[in-house]
Amino acid sequence: MRTGGRILVDNLLAQGCDRIFQVPGESFLAVLDALHDTPQIDVVTCRQEGGAAFMACADGTLTQRPGVCFVTRGPGATNASIGVHVAFQDSLPMILFIGDVDRGMRDREGFQEIDLVAMFTPLAKLALRIDDARRIPEYVARAYNVATSGRPGPVVIALPEDMLRDVVEAVDRPRLVPYPLTPCAPEHDFLFDRLRAAQRPVAIVGGAGWDQSTAGHFAWFAEHWGIPVAGAFRRQDAIANSSTVWAGNLGYGPSPKLVERIRSADLVLVVGARLGEATTDGYTLITPEHPDQYLIHVHPDPNELDKVYRADMAICGGVDQFSELLAANFPPEVPIQLGAIAHAEWLEWSTPRPREGVALDLGMCVAAMRERLTPEATIICNGAGNFSGWWHRYWHYGPPGTQLAPTAGAMGYGIPAAVAGALRHPDKTVVAVAGDGDFLMNGQELATAIQHGANILVIVVDNGGYGTIRMHQEREYPERLSGTALHNPDFALLAKAYGAWSETVETTEQFGPALDRALAQGGVKLLHLKTDMEIITNGTTIDAIRRAHQ
């Protein structure tokens, strides 16, 4: 006989959960009470539910097991919904548990009451409510299965407060292992025939399921065939960028030579990626009908295949099994040279050069980071904003698990993701890069980082405004500034108030020594970089945008 809260915690343990991220609420006190006697689960107490949900997203990325988050009903649930949306669009395994009103109070618009299942059904892969504590093991096992099978995604479970206090008998369920998705065997020969016949092939990789083994198998295949490999938007760590066929990233601001290479390809091999709007530049880089291009689309979810893009060959399978299949096949005796050429073009594109007349040159700051940090031992985390473009272009990412960035484009992701990354991989250097507007969305999670002993470096890029929106504003309504300027705090002093080490950097020359001092510190350290709004991206300026409209 156990309480519902105890049964829930026991079954999280049974499924391999070792950490949860939460903002406490009275609606799940029975769970917190059970966690008091469960040292096997690390309880990370966050400052806002959106930050907690982002941490769960990042943890799911790194472990490929569901990141687990607990929040309370009403305001807690609505705050956490941003993480559910990111987990869905990013194909990340996550489970959000929400403490709910008592069963007898439902449908009376009680305190903080929301129909949670109705609210989260459009946002999540699955949304459920547990009304019978005896069925908690069934629901938890189902949540883990749904969150990790096929295309991974978020599961939301509402927990009535009185149900968690019920004392009942329940039978725990053993740990579930995701089912492997093996690509259909009859297509193999035809697949390799098409690859051998292609004159200008290119591969695009991304989506869920990329780990060290998968990346190694796919890189071996691409290198021995000589096929250029591009990363989908913010999936630049699908394979290590040191691969001799890595061609760069797609999304916002890709290399023009890579864009032309994909437009002129006669065969496009897409493995794991959905080919979403950002990756395809609004479905124009590769069009849904893609005339004169043969599209091979490999994805773990059959509902994604032929959903938007007409696939000449649609293969339902996991990226791990498919990459292993590719590596097991005999490659050509001599690889084509396209991969090596594309890699040389990317090296040229990703090499920063000083910009004249710029006091603090972010490109050279990334170069300084590359001199001091290794891609394999560094995790770069960022939210949304033009500031991220310098790292997307100039940083060389390592193997899977070295980039934490939301393809959903959510602001405020970088700091929480860095906290989760540092707790999961204390042996790595974890860097959160945030714009000023981006940082102020979830900067309060610095307190969480310090409380839980996370070792992170935060770089705040402060240009005094919402830079991405200002850029679009200048393109649509040149010189009519409205609603995009920010009055910011002194971020270095703010970090000190939290208990972090910090410095302010205003010139390129100051950055390298300040970075050295930061890296010599333990715990949380923050560099406040004061930049000029005029340098709006790594490739253009506000003045150039205005002149283009004259």
Side-chain angles (χ1 to χ4, degrees):
M1 301 292 289
R2 294 170 288 172
T3 66
R6 179 74 260 169
I7 296 168
L8 178 58
V9 170
D10 287 345
N11 279 271
L12 287 174
L13 274 175
Q15 295 303 327
C17 175
D18 62 358
R19 175 170 291 130
I20 67 169
F21 304 93
Q22 61 94 31
V23 175
E26 70 273 19
S27 57
F28 62 96
L29 283 175
V31 175
L32 294 176
D33 182 70
L35 287 167
H36 178 274
D37 301 320
T38 312
Q40 304 95 315
I41 295 181
D42 180 27
V43 180
V44 180
T45 301
C46 307
R47 297 327 190 247
Q48 205 258 13
E49 292 87 356
F54 280 155
M55 291 183 201
C57 288
D59 199 52
T61 302
L62 294 171
T63 65
Q64 298 201 26
R65 298 285 295 171
V68 178
C69 181
F70 277 81
V71 301
T72 196
R73 57 190 179 249
T78 51
N79 282 341
S81 65
I82 187 172
V84 176
H85 182 239
V86 168
F88 191 91
Q89 289 218 322
D90 285 28
S91 304
L92 304 177
M94 172 193 181
I95 303 176
L96 174 66
F97 292 99
I98 305 173
D100 199 5
V101 298
D102 285 0
R103 289 164 292 188
M105 299 291 183
R106 193 177 303 154
D107 300 328
R108 291 178 170 177
E109 198 182 342
F111 181 62
Q112 299 182 340
E113 182 182 2
I114 292 176
D115 186 339
L116 296 170
V117 174
M119 172 185 170
F120 281 99
T121 292
L123 290 177
K125 198 173 177 185
L126 180 65
L128 302 166
R129 176 184 287 106
I130 305 178
D131 284 321
D132 185 346
R134 291 169 296 185
R135 296 181 62 186
I136 288 175
E138 169 194 337
Y139 278 90
V140 171
R142 182 181 178 188
Y144 268 81
N145 181 45
V146 171
T148 57
S149 62
R151 176 188 171 187
V155 175
V156 177
I157 298 182
L159 306 168
E161 183 177 354
D162 59 326
M163 182 276 296
L164 292 173
R165 294 194 300 265
D166 285 350
V167 178
V168 299
E169 290 184 353
V171 179
D172 298 338
R173 292 203 176 184
R175 181 169 179 169
L176 296 176
V177 177
Y179 303 113
L181 282 171
T182 304
C184 184
E187 296 172 328
H188 296 175
D189 291 341
F190 189 49
L191 164 69
F192 288 108
D193 288 342
R194 294 298 311 199
L195 289 172
R196 289 188 178 92
Q199 299 296 309
R200 300 178 305 281
V202 66
I204 300 174
V205 295
W210 291 86
D211 57 17
Q212 298 268 357
S213 175
T214 301
H217 283 130
F218 193 89
W220 189 96
F221 151 77
E223 290 164 5
H224 283 77
W225 284 71
I227 298 176
V229 180
F233 177 53
R234 291 183 168 172
R235 289 297 176 260
Q236 291 166 250
D237 63 343
I239 69 170
N241 298 175
S242 57
S243 170
T244 56
V245 292
W246 177 253
N249 62 293
L250 298 174
Y252 301 112
S255 163
K257 290 185 177 180
L258 175 58
V259 169
E260 179 55 34
R261 181 173 298 281
I262 291 177
R263 291 192 189 280
S264 63
D266 60 351
L267 182 146
V268 182
L269 172 63
V270 180
V271 183
R274 292 191 301 114
L275 290 180
E277 177 187 354
T279 296
T280 62
D281 191 19
Y283 308 101
T284 62
L285 179 59
I286 304 169
T287 62
E289 293 300 324
H290 51 85
D292 303 320
Q293 288 184 323
Y294 192 90
L295 175 63
I296 303 173
H297 197 178
V298 183
H299 198 274
D301 185 356
N303 294 316
E304 190 63 39
L305 296 169
D306 286 308
K307 176 181 177 181
V308 176
Y309 280 84
R310 174 188 58 80
D312 296 289
M313 183 184 297
I315 300 176
C316 185
V319 295
D320 50 353
Q321 299 281 329
F322 184 75
S323 298
E324 189 172 350
L325 164 70
L326 292 176
N329 193 271
F330 291 108
E333 292 185 8
V334 179
I336 60 177
Q337 294 302 305
L338 294 180
I341 295 170
H343 186 63
E345 292 172 348
W346 171 74
L347 287 173
E348 172 72 16
W349 171 254
S350 65
T351 299
R353 292 170 178 80
R355 294 174 74 163
E356 294 184 4
V358 178
L360 181 53
D361 187 339
L362 290 177
M364 302 314 296
C365 292
V366 180
M369 290 177 60
R370 283 172 50 180
E371 291 174 357
R372 293 160 171 81
L373 302 172
T374 59
E376 297 78 12
T378 305
I379 302 175
I380 303 291
C381 315
N382 64 265
N386 278 358
F387 68 89
S388 63
W390 275 272
W391 278 264
H392 292 346
R393 177 173 176 178
Y394 297 126
W395 181 258
H396 291 188
Y397 289 87
T402 57
Q403 181 182 36
L404 294 175
T407 68
M411 295 180 69
Y413 181 89
I415 303 298
V419 175
L423 294 178
R424 185 59 62 183
H425 290 294
D427 56 320
K428 292 188 177 182
T429 301
V430 181
V431 182
V433 185
D436 44 350
D438 183 66
F439 176 86
L440 288 171
M441 294 274 182
N442 271 317
Q444 74 283 343
E445 300 304 340
L446 289 184
T448 303
I450 290 171
Q451 177 175 337
H452 292 275
N455 186 5
I456 64 174
L457 168 63
V458 180
I459 298 175
V460 179
V461 180
D462 176 7
N463 62 5
Y466 288 116
T468 302
I469 310 307
R470 172 71 181 276
M471 175 186 68
H472 293 304
Q473 190 172 62
E474 293 285 356
R475 285 174 176 164
E476 299 295 329
Y477 306 99
E479 301 185 62
R480 293 179 59 82
L481 178 62
S482 176
T484 53
L486 291 173
H487 176 75
N488 288 323
D490 184 322
F491 289 105
L493 285 178
L494 182 62
K496 285 184 170 69
Y498 279 110
W501 178 96
S502 65
E503 278 194 21
T504 298
V505 177
E506 300 187 68
T507 67
T508 307
E509 293 72 26
Q510 293 173 353
F511 181 78
L515 178 61
D516 289 333
R517 289 189 289 273
L519 293 174
Q521 305 294 320
V524 179
K525 45 267 183 184
L526 182 146
L527 294 178
H528 177 193
L529 277 55
K530 292 188 174 181
T531 63
D532 188 350
M533 178 66 80
E534 171 64 21
I535 314 302
I536 194 65
T537 73
N538 61 69
T540 192
T541 63
I542 286 180
D543 182 63
I545 294 172
R546 290 175 175 176
R547 283 188 282 107
H549 284 79
Q550 292 177 352

